[in-house]
């Protein structure tokens, strides 16, 4: 049984037939399909885009202006402008952008408006980069206007197309600072599709100029144009590479101290055979209240004996020193698990829960030696008062629900 093939999923005879059908009588449909399919199966994904665009060029007018008129008339409706994320469109439209980049590079005044229309159907982030290299001033001026466009796919292009590093894309000759003006307009966009691109763009920059990114994020925070929760997300996404490297400024930007005062005890299986599972146990105790981002590093041995370190995310947590949790009733298993993971030092409760209690009644997770944290338990404080409080609360809820049921029945009966 053959495995899944992305290139065959995105570019196949059915997709090619759909693309040909968009042009109607403007091209010889069957000949176009036959010419594309004669070579398509042997090509990889990116090469298929180029191949289809080259075949298409042989079916459109030789004059570029006339060719794009035919193309614009053939375009399907734009992607839904009311969405805000994960709406990439159909990859089979990618050859249209490749055609414009190949045949229209010498006529940016005609080609750039066409790319603006195409990106509403499928991103032209790869194609715009050719124009940034050939016509940087004209293209950057167009992107500055597009950063204010009413269509979020067009706005995203202003960030995505100018990224320093774009997988599969040609390198652009822009400095790292040049696109910052575009990002200044886009960072407070209300669509995640755009803000994710901005964050990815910043992450690219961190690999060469971390300070530029930290200054930019600090300025954006002061400006207050973006919703705080979204800017929080953007910062985490933009600084992810620096965080893996333990960059002090990035950690502090996210609210973490570079050198937290904690005591760490870590245990790992002494030997792990192939096919077995290794167990990693970590116990962390705070000397003071700490917000922590816990990662761990595993070194993989290569065939030549060299070692390659890889960072893995473990968890984020707010660790409290000598924290006491006071509750009315004995916690259940789930609540005790949360208290243990939060490294609560002391638990105080009133009423026992003999049906589900996990701090001494049914289970005693607080003192379980198999776990890597123990909790001091003080129980039975004002036990009767707590028990009466809970009983009265649930009695009131039952009576209220009973009255609501009677009213509902009377309404239905009438």
């Amino acid at each position: 049984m053959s495995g899944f093939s992305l290139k065959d999923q995105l570019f196949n005879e059915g997709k090619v037939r759909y693309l040909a059908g968009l042009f109607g009588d403007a091209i010889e449909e069957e000949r176009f399909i036959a010419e594309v399919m004669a070579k398509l199966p042997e090509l990889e994904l990116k090469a298929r885009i180029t191949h289809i665009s080259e075949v298409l060029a042989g079916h459109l007018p030789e004059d570029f202006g006339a060719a794009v008129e035919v193309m614009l008339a053939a375009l399907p409706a734009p992607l839904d402008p009311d969405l805000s994320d994960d709406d990439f469109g159909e990859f089979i439209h990618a050859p249209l952008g490749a055609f414009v980049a190949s045949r229209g590079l010498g006529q940016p005044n005609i080609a750039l408006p066409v790319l603006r229309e195409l990106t509403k159907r499928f991103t032209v982030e790869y194609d715009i980069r050719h124009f940034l290299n050939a016509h940087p001033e004209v293209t950057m001026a167009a992107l500055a206007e597009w950063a204010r466009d009413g269509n979020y796919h067009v706005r995203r292009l202003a960030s995505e197309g100018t990224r320093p590093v774009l997988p599969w894309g040609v390198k652009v000759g822009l400095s790292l600072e040049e696109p910052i003006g575009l990002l200044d307009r886009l960072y407070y966009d209300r669509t995640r599709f755009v803000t994710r691109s901005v964050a990815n763009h910043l992450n690219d920059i961190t690999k060469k100029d971390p300070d530029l990114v930290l200054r930019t994020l600090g300025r954006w925070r002061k400006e207050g144009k973006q919703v705080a929760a979204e800017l929080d997300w953007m910062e985490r996404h933009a600084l992810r590479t620096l965080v893996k490297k333990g960059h002090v400024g990035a950690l502090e930007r996210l609210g973490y101290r570079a050198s937290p005062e904690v005591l760490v005890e870590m245990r790992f299986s002494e030997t792990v055979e192939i096919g077995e599972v290794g167990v990693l146990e970590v116990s962390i105790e705070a000397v003071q209240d700490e917000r922590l981002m816990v990662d761990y590093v595993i070194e993989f041995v290569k065939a030549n004996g060299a070692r390659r370190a890889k960072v893995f995310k473990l968890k984020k947590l707010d660790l409290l020193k000598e924290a006491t949790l006071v509750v009315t009733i004995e916690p259940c298993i789930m609540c005790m698990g949360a208290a243990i993971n939060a490294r609560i030092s002391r638990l105080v409760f009133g009423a026992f829960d003999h049906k589900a209690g996990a701090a001494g009644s049914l289970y005693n997770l607080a003192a379980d030696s198999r776990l890597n944290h123990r909790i001091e338990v003080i129980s039975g404080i004002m036990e009767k008062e707590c028990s009466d409080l809970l009983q009265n609360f649930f009695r009131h809820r039952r009576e209220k629900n009973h009255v609501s049921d009677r009213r509902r029945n009377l309404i239905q009966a009438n």
Side-chain angles (χ1 to χ4, degrees), residues 57-79:
H59 287 256
L60 293 176
E62 186 174 343
D63 177 74
F64 179 69
V68 295
E69 285 186 14
V70 174
M71 180 182 294
L72 291 173
L75 292 181
L79 297 168

Side-chain angles (χ1 to χ4, degrees), residues 201-355:
H201 193 138
L202 291 181
N203 184 59
D204 290 345
I205 297 176
T206 63
K207 298 167 185 176
K208 292 189 175 181
D209 193 346
D211 291 339
L212 174 60
V213 173
L214 292 171
R215 290 196 306 270
T216 300
L217 289 171
R219 176 164 53 80
W220 290 352
R221 180 70 67 175
K222 290 180 180 179
E223 290 174 356
K225 294 180 180 180
Q226 178 58 279
V227 177
E230 182 67 8
L231 188 55
D232 289 345
W233 178 88
M234 291 175 64
E235 286 186 337
R236 293 192 300 270
H237 203 60
L239 299 176
R240 61 189 187 274
T241 298
L242 291 182
V243 166
K244 281 190 173 184
K245 295 179 178 179
H247 189 279
V248 173
L251 290 170
E252 292 178 345
R253 177 79 241 165
L254 297 175
Y256 301 98
R257 294 203 305 152
S259 300
E261 296 185 49
V262 294
L263 303 175
V264 180
E265 179 184 349
M266 186 168 64
R267 296 180 296 276
F268 191 73
S269 306
E270 291 187 7
T271 59
V272 182
E273 300 292 337
I274 295 176
E276 294 183 345
V277 176
V279 178
L280 172 66
E281 295 182 354
V282 181
S283 176
I284 305 175
E285 181 179 345
V287 177
Q288 65 178 46
D289 292 354
E290 293 281 6
R291 187 183 185 200
L292 299 177
M293 179 185 297
V294 185
D295 297 346
Y296 62 96
V297 180
I298 293 181
E299 290 186 336
F300 294 88
V301 181
K302 298 182 178 180
N304 61 2
R307 298 192 175 197
R308 177 178 60 87
K310 185 172 183 180
V311 180
F312 294 87
K313 314 302 293 184
L314 187 60
K315 71 184 308 179
K316 300 175 184 177
L317 70 158
D318 291 313
L319 203 58
L320 305 178
K321 177 182 180 295
E322 300 295 335
T324 298
L325 175 64
V326 181
V327 293
T328 308
I329 191 171
E330 180 183 1
C332 65
I333 294 176
M334 181 179 69
C335 295
M336 278 302 298
I340 291 170
N341 284 331
R343 295 299 187 268
I344 297 297
S345 300
R346 184 181 299 106
L347 167 67
V348 179
F349 69 86
F352 289 89
D353 184 353
H354 297 289
K355 292 183 178 180

Side-chain angles (χ1 to χ4, degrees), residues 174-188:
L174 301 174
S175 69
L176 297 178
E177 293 85 359
E178 284 181 271
I180 294 294
L182 299 175
L183 304 187
D184 284 341
R185 174 63 183 84
L186 296 169
Y187 84 87
Y188 53 91

